[in-house]
Amino acid sequence: MSEHLPNLDPGLFPDLPASGHKPRILLLYGSTRERSFSRLLVEEAARLLEHFGAEVRIFNPSGLPLPDDAPVEHPRVQALRELVLWSEGQVWCSPERHGAMSAVFKAQIDWIPLELGAVRPTQGKTLAVMQVCGGSQSFNVVNQLRVLGRWMRMFTIPNQSSVPKAYMEFDEAGRMKPSPFYDRVVDVMEELVKFTLLLRGQQAFLVDRYSERKETAEQLMARVNQRSI
């Protein structure tokens, strides 16, 4: 990897923080095609993340049922949710279909609840967004993914990647060719690792909300009053 990144500072991430483990990053992509360019871009991103010291998992959406078309106990749904809980940060990458994210990608997000009992699977986690285009460059999908990330209460990093004419940007082996688009992917992954490390251990403080504290206090008071009756 290093020979392809001649200007990368090898001391950028010299040591893990005192909290220990490598940054845990989950990568999702939005196509089940045999030669899926969103998958190839995610695989390229995963190589970079590992180079930066992260631990990565890629979820294969093949076999995931449509939302509400199967019980939540479905093994593919459970596999996705377990990876979401495991992650500290995520990378979302979808092809652009009819000016929007693909149904394959959206189905994955729709299987991830905002709450699982007392646990919020995505709240406070970092997020990087990317898209691949079949034609000229657009930013429709990354803009939509940012809306989704905000709805899922995630910290979406400022940088993003949009790769136009993706079929021209990968070689026969599935590796991304050197280009300014590749350099942008490096930028995005580097920034994701930085934000993930900076926010580690701070999520509870950053996502603490007055309205939720108020609601919790009111519910507690209601239970106390009910017991006293």
Side-chain angles (χ1 to χ4, degrees), residues 18-193:
S19 51
H21 63 267
K22 296 179 178 181
R24 297 191 294 253
I25 308 296
L26 170 64
L27 299 96
L28 305 179
Y29 61 93
S31 171
T32 56
R33 293 171 55 192
E34 183 177 353
R35 186 170 169 83
S36 162
F37 293 109
S38 61
R39 175 177 56 80
L40 294 180
L41 186 57
V42 153
E43 290 174 349
E44 204 66 52
R47 293 184 188 99
L48 290 163
L49 289 167
E50 289 179 333
H51 185 70
F52 296 146
E55 183 180 358
V56 304
R57 297 285 187 274
I58 299 175
F59 179 75
N60 181 350
S62 182
L64 184 72
L66 290 173
D68 303 322
D69 199 36
V72 296
E73 291 78 16
H74 190 284
R76 297 299 292 148
V77 175
Q78 288 301 305
L80 173 61
R81 291 186 173 190
E82 287 171 7
L83 286 172
V84 170
L85 290 171
W86 166 85
S87 67
E88 290 179 281
Q90 296 181 23
V91 177
W92 293 355
C93 180
S94 173
E96 184 176 274
R97 297 275 177 86
H98 304 300
M101 76 184 73
S102 69
V104 171
F105 188 87
K106 185 56 164 57
Q108 295 173 79
I109 304 304
D110 287 346
W111 274 118
I112 303 170
L114 287 176
E115 295 185 19
L116 276 172
V119 178
R120 292 178 173 173
T122 54
Q123 179 166 309
K125 298 183 177 183
T126 53
L127 172 65
V129 296
M130 304 192 295
Q131 74 173 84
V132 291
C133 311
S136 58
Q137 189 174 44
S138 89
F139 300 94
N140 293 327
V141 171
V142 287
N143 289 336
Q144 293 167 356
L145 294 178
R146 286 185 176 277
V147 172
L148 271 181
R150 183 169 68 246
W151 190 258
M152 302 301 282
R153 299 178 176 178
M154 302 178 78
F155 292 109
T156 308
I157 67 172
N159 219 333
Q160 62 188 25
S161 169
S162 173
V163 181
K165 298 182 180 179
Y167 59 90
M168 298 178 61
E169 298 300 323
F170 293 86
D171 62 23
E172 290 301 314
R175 293 301 306 272
M176 193 172 186
K177 300 173 184 177
S179 71
F181 299 118
Y182 176 78
D183 293 347
R184 173 58 66 89
V185 176
V186 178
D187 288 344
V188 175
M189 294 307 109
E190 184 180 283
E191 188 172 282
L192 176 64
V193 173

Side-chain angles (χ1 to χ4, degrees), residues 2-29:
S2 58
E3 66 271 17
H4 301 297
L5 301 168
N7 296 307
L8 184 69
D9 179 4
L12 193 61
F13 306 110
D15 297 299
L16 288 173
S19 51
H21 63 267
K22 296 179 178 181
R24 297 191 294 253
I25 308 296
L26 170 64
L27 299 96
L28 305 179
Y29 61 93

